[in-house]
Amino acid sequence: LEVLGQNHPYTSFTHDTIAKIYLGLDHIDKAKEHAKKSLSIRRNVYGDNSNHPRLAIAHLTNAAIFDSEGDKVQAIAEAEKAHDMNVKGLRDGHPLTQKSESFLIQLKSS
């Protein structure tokens, strides 16, 4: 944080990675804390209405957290945001677009 600052994209990437680690360890509160920081930084950097793929990744992380909590409605809403951003910001065949589509299908079918 001292080198890059609290609002640098790499700081956001680090928070997103930490959130995924905590999610994997089933420490949901810690995962939410870091996912929230990541999303906030990415909104500040890329804009709240951006279709930037890194903002979409933050929404996918939130979707995974909501899914682990059993909140399918919110998980699907976050995954749909991510997928819409990827479709608009990238293209249909892009690997990130395919990943968000696959995760969304998985959420809707479970």
Side-chain angles (χ1 to χ4, degrees):
L1 288 174
E2 291 179 23
V3 174
L4 299 175
Q6 292 193 3
N7 290 313
H8 192 279
Y10 288 162
T11 305
S12 171
F13 174 79
T14 301
H15 281 296
D16 193 72
T17 301
I18 292 169
K20 290 173 182 170
I21 291 167
Y22 276 126
L23 182 60
L25 296 171
D26 206 30
H27 295 284
I28 304 302
D29 289 340
K30 285 290 202 179
K32 285 170 103 171
E33 174 187 332
H34 288 279
K36 183 178 178 180
K37 288 177 184 179
S38 176
L39 182 59
S40 176
I41 294 167
R42 289 176 186 195
R43 282 181 171 158
N44 287 334
V45 171
Y46 303 113
D48 201 20
N49 295 318
S50 169
N51 291 318
H52 198 284
R54 290 192 178 136
L55 187 57
I57 289 169
H59 283 290
L60 280 179
T61 300
N62 282 330
I65 292 169
F66 285 120
D67 183 43
S68 72
E69 292 180 310
D71 188 346
K72 289 287 183 197
V73 172
Q74 195 61 38
I76 290 170
E78 287 290 310
E80 285 176 339
K81 278 183 203 174
H83 185 61
D84 288 346
M85 288 176 178
N86 283 334
V87 168
K88 291 174 185 171
L90 300 168
R91 63 184 194 289
D92 278 337
H94 191 280
L96 289 176
T97 304
Q98 291 174 339
K99 179 180 178 179
S100 62
E101 181 179 27
S102 175
F103 188 56
L104 185 55
I105 290 168
Q106 175 188 340
L107 286 172
K108 288 181 175 182
S109 67
S110 62

